[in-house]
Amino acid sequence: MHDHPTHTGPGALTLVVLLVAVLGVALYIGAAVRLRRRGDAWPWWRDASVAAGAGAVAAAAVLPLPGGPFTAHMAGHLLVGMVGPLLIVLGRPVTLLLRTVPVGGARAGLLTVLHSRPAALLTAPAVAAVLDMGGLWVLYRTPLFAAMHDDTLVATVVHLHVFAAGMLFTVAICRLDPLRRRYGLPHLAVVLLVAGAVHAVLAKTLYAQSPPGTMFAASDLQAGAQLMYYGGDAVGVALAVVLAVRWYGGMGRARARAVTVGRARPAV
């Protein structure tokens, strides 16, 4: 049985995460500054959102998070797999890249990748939800959680998957950057609701029983499970707000177009 602390101090992986986070934010802000200098609008709050998202991911790797071992791990899970991805996606990094890359082969290649069938499959809301929530069930309800504390390579792969799957799910639900296929609000809302329910059920199972091969104090296990439950709900509400704002904005634009077309029609 294992009972390991989550934070083990600075190491190679920690330094890599910190470096990538700083570099990513620097590149994003540099691109946004270039966009504004040529006269294009790009809200400053998007810069802050991306910086906060990268900071959340870096904090999970660098800082000793509060609470017992399992509670601290769960705080890191929320930062890396949910909070960080949401804040980064709100900054629309792909849209920024498309607007700053010169028209030509590079931009056309990026659009080709974004609109390819594999990208469309991975960003299908149901597929992204299975990859994200299914990965969490595998992590916490199999011996994988115990194994990642004994093998650095396994831990690295798990953390990369949590972040990548969280990003993929957030992109698939929010759909703020240009993607190949559009999904209606009912479809996105149902997938988000089901994914939230699956996440909540997993949290409840962890409240009652540690991941296989591990043993945590009951108070630590329950505190971590509650953090997962309520933290997941909070991020789910934030995603729902993003959907509502997108829907409201889309309705407003549709009405404006209808009014414009009506005015343009010649009188009979």
Side-chain angles (χ1 to χ4, degrees), residues 6 46 129-130 142 203 229:
T6 300
R46 291 180 182 170
V130 170
T142 72
Y229 183 90

Side-chain angles (χ1 to χ4, degrees), residues 163-261:
F163 175 70
M167 284 290 297
L168 193 63
F169 178 72
T170 308
V171 167
I173 293 295
C174 295
R175 310 194 83 77
L176 298 175
D177 287 315
L179 298 173
R180 176 180 178 178
R181 183 176 175 183
R182 295 183 179 182
Y183 292 87
L185 178 64
H187 182 98
L188 296 172
V190 168
V191 173
L192 178 59
L193 182 63
V194 172
V198 171
H199 191 268
V201 170
L202 177 59
K204 289 183 177 181
T205 67
L206 290 172
Y207 188 91
Q209 185 178 17
S210 295
T214 67
M215 181 179 293
F216 296 97
S219 59
D220 181 26
L221 182 68
Q222 293 170 3
Q226 288 178 333
L227 180 60
M228 180 181 185
Y229 183 90
Y230 292 111
D233 279 355
V235 175
V237 169
L239 288 169
V241 170
V242 173
L243 287 181
V245 171
R246 280 190 61 239
W247 174 81
Y248 184 79
M251 292 293 291
R253 288 189 293 271
R255 290 175 181 173
R257 286 194 297 269
V259 171
T260 301
V261 171

Side-chain angles (χ1 to χ4, degrees), residues 11-175:
L13 178 60
T14 299
L15 296 177
V16 169
V17 171
L18 184 59
L19 178 62
V20 170
V22 172
L23 181 61
V25 171
L27 290 174
Y28 181 96
I29 293 178
V33 169
R34 289 196 301 273
L35 200 65
R36 296 186 186 105
R37 283 180 177 174
R38 75 184 191 192
D40 293 345
W42 191 259
W44 287 97
W45 67 262
R46 291 180 182 170
D47 302 32
S49 183
V50 169
V57 175
V62 175
L63 300 179
L65 301 176
F70 189 72
T71 304
H73 163 83
M74 198 53 68
H77 152 68
L78 289 173
L79 291 173
V80 172
M82 303 186 79
V83 177
L86 175 59
L87 291 171
I88 293 172
V89 169
L90 287 176
R92 303 191 179 191
V94 176
T95 299
L96 177 62
L97 179 61
L98 287 171
R99 290 182 62 177
T100 53
V101 171
V103 177
R107 192 173 188 273
L110 180 58
L111 284 172
T112 299
V113 172
L114 287 173
H115 296 163
S116 65
R117 289 186 177 181
L121 176 62
L122 289 174
T123 56
V127 173
V130 170
L131 291 174
D132 191 14
M133 300 306 157
L136 293 179
W137 274 83
V138 171
L139 173 61
Y140 292 117
R141 295 277 59 122
T142 72
L144 180 60
F145 183 78
M148 66 178 284
H149 288 87
D150 294 327
D151 192 316
T152 303
L153 179 59
V154 173
T156 301
V157 172
V158 167
H159 284 104
L160 287 175
H161 172 81
V162 169
F163 175 70
M167 284 290 297
L168 193 63
F169 178 72
T170 308
V171 167
I173 293 295
C174 295
R175 310 194 83 77

